Amino acid sequence: MSADRINLLRTKVFDKSKWMQLPRDVVIGHDVIEQIPAVCEDLALGDSVLIVSGGQTRDIAGKKVEALLAGSYDVATFAANDGDPLETIRKAEAAAAEAGFVIGVGGGRVIDTAKIASYNTDRHFISVPTAASHDGIASSRASVPTAEGNVSLAAEPPIAVVADTAVIASAPHRLLASGCADIIANYTAILDWELSHRLRGEPLSEYALTLSRMTAEILFKNADLIKPHSEESAWLVTKALVSSGVAMSIAGSSRPGSGGEHKFSHALEKLAPGKGLHGEKCGIGAIITMYLHGGDWEGIRDSLKKIGAPTTPAGIGVDDETAVAALLAARTIRPERFTILDMGLTEESARDLVKMLYRE
Ligand SMILES: NC(=O)C1=CN([C@@H]2O[C@H](COP(=O)(O)OP(=O)(O)OC[C@H]3O[C@@H](n4cnc5c(N)ncnc54)[C@H](OP(=O)(O)O)[C@@H]3O)[C@@H](O)[C@H]2O)C=CC1
Ligand SMILES: O=C(CO)COP(=O)(O)O
Ligand SMILES: [Zn+2]
């Protein structure tokens, strides 16, 4: 299904191309989940709410949010379980249309389901991430896996983000490491944006680019401090993810956070579905695209290793041949987005790069 079909249901269709839409309330810290009633009241979003969560995340935090709001709101719930993402979105839309606003409580898939379902039914949504796994938690973008590969959709950012560091720190460390990798990949995303600006005149926002680079720099420099199940680490990474989402809102696209390394990730999702988390694949891709940019690819690799993110395709159960195929297929993903992987990488060179750069 094409991207425009997914957003066809929306009725409030204004030309927002010049609008910078940002979250209104961002609350990050220990036990801040308790403040969700206050955030909802502060924003005066109506008296009925749909709470979207996943199979695991409903037990982890979804039920808590339901209990906190039950006394003051009509609470409906929606289980965004595995299955066809577009079908799940359709069902979530139907449920969202019956509520005044939506809250997504979960990982990226749940947050995106809530983001798209609320956008398509002209509702506001509140993002309650249970993991700091990628920068969609505060962005206006949704990334939906489809048979043709990931479709990057324009939506609206959450009107509020409530990120409880106690919940996020309790998540498997793999999810936090994946979020770090997604942010470190901003380094190569902005190099591709600058390349496209110089070679093809693509408009570039210095503010969005600088903010995106800053998020990568902070995590890169503090890689030694990122520890499993540490609330301080959860706080540091969540701030970076929120800032990266703001950079995308300023740019009005995912360009500051999505370059050739993301096209590699989306190609891998098509060639090896379900292998690795989004951020993990982007980090692995950033090693190669940083090398192609002539940058510090070893620094990227070593920071990912320190954080505990995979640095080779084998690290996510992908063989070298599939990685080569993904590098070559990247140019077919969102061809209008020019990156270093769209400059004629040959199969022989791709094979040499995988052999040379992805050694444990
Ligand atoms: N909008 C954007 O900009 C972007 C969106 N995406 C999208 O996000 C998705 C990937 O998100 P990601 O978070 O990596 O993966 P998932 O949302 O698939 O989450 C991975 C697993 O972690 C579980 N989980 C989440 N939080 C916790 C926790 N605190 N404790 C234990 N388990 C937990 C989830 O549980 P459960 O099963 O309950 O959900 C799920 O089983 C994809 O659909 C991708 O398309 C990716 C990049 C950017
Ligand atoms: O993952 C993203 C930013 O980290 C968004 O990426 P896409 O626009 O490529 O889906
Ligand atoms: Zn990403």
Side-chain angles (χ1 to χ4, degrees):
M1 184 176 296
S2 66
D4 56 358
R5 166 66 191 89
I6 294 174
N7 287 345
L8 199 60
L9 305 176
R10 188 169 172 77
T11 56
K12 279 186 191 169
V13 184
F14 311 121
D15 173 9
K16 294 189 177 181
S17 54
K18 298 277 184 292
W19 299 19
M20 284 187 209
Q21 292 187 290
L22 304 169
R24 219 304 283 281
D25 294 339
V26 178
V27 186
I28 303 174
H30 182 79
D31 284 352
V32 295
I33 204 166
E34 304 286 343
Q35 296 184 38
I36 285 182
V39 169
C40 294
E41 192 177 337
D42 177 54
L43 295 168
L45 300 172
D47 53 13
S48 62
V49 59
L50 175 72
I51 299 173
V52 180
S53 53
Q56 298 176 81
T57 46
R58 184 169 185 230
D59 289 332
I60 289 162
K63 285 179 179 169
K64 172 97 178 173
V65 176
E66 293 162 30
L68 285 167
L69 297 178
S72 314
Y73 297 85
D74 291 336
V75 175
T77 62
F78 180 83
N81 293 320
D82 292 327
D84 174 47
L86 296 181
E87 190 48 40
T88 301
I89 289 168
R90 288 285 158 274
K91 289 177 183 165
E93 280 167 1
E98 302 303 313
F101 64 104
V102 179
I103 300 181
V105 185
R109 186 175 48 78
V110 165
I111 298 289
D112 263 10
T113 301
K115 186 182 287 185
I116 299 169
S118 54
Y119 178 70
N120 282 350
T121 52
D122 304 323
R123 264 78 177 160
H124 287 303
F125 101 98
I126 295 176
S127 171
V128 181
T130 55
S133 50
H134 65 69
D135 53 10
I137 61 175
S139 79
S140 57
R141 310 297 301 179
S143 188
V144 179
T146 71
E148 299 77 44
N150 267 57
V151 172
S152 177
L153 292 177
E156 287 191 342
I159 191 163
V161 180
V162 180
D164 190 314
T165 49
V167 173
I168 291 168
S170 306
H173 179 64
R174 182 183 177 200
L175 291 166
L176 186 80
S178 175
C180 292
D182 201 16
I183 291 295
I184 287 171
N186 284 0
Y187 267 134
T188 48
I190 59 179
L191 288 175
D192 279 329
W193 195 6
E194 289 174 320
L195 178 69
S196 179
H197 175 66
R198 287 194 295 269
L199 278 182
R200 295 189 163 189
E202 179 181 347
L204 179 147
S205 157
E206 282 296 341
Y207 283 95
L209 186 139
T210 305
L211 179 54
S212 178
R213 181 191 290 123
M214 184 193 75
T215 65
E217 280 174 351
I218 288 173
L219 289 195
F220 189 82
K221 281 191 288 196
N222 290 288
D224 290 316
L225 303 181
I226 307 290
K227 301 297 179 204
H229 310 304
S230 143
E231 284 206 49
E232 192 178 0
S233 299
W235 193 84
L236 183 69
V237 177
T238 302
K239 296 276 275 191
L241 295 175
V242 169
S243 302
S244 184
V246 170
M248 289 188 271
S249 290
I250 292 172
S253 87
S254 59
R255 201 24 144 161
S258 173
E261 77 297 322
H262 272 68
K263 290 170 66 147
F264 170 77
S265 166
H266 297 328
L268 264 187
E269 186 56 34
K270 274 179 82 174
L271 295 167
K275 295 275 188 184
L277 295 171
H278 166 80
E280 292 175 335
K281 291 178 279 198
C282 296
I284 292 165
I287 292 168
I288 283 206
T289 57
M290 184 58 93
Y291 172 86
L292 291 173
H293 277 289
D296 181 12
W297 66 274
E298 287 151 317
I300 296 281
R301 180 199 61 195
D302 297 346
S303 64
L304 293 172
K305 201 166 273 186
K306 276 181 208 165
I307 289 162
T311 56
T312 65
I316 54 171
V318 168
D319 61 38
D320 284 0
E321 274 314 296
T322 305
V324 168
L327 282 171
L328 298 172
R331 67 194 71 167
T332 66
I333 305 270
R334 204 186 287 148
E336 75 287 356
R337 179 162 290 181
F338 184 74
T339 75
I340 199 132
L341 293 182
D342 299 277
M343 294 183 72
L345 177 70
T346 64
E347 183 172 345
E348 185 185 3
S349 299
R351 194 159 279 115
D352 290 346
L353 285 173
V354 167
K355 199 179 295 175
M356 176 176 68
L357 303 182
Y358 289 145
R359 282 197 300 251
E360 286 293 356

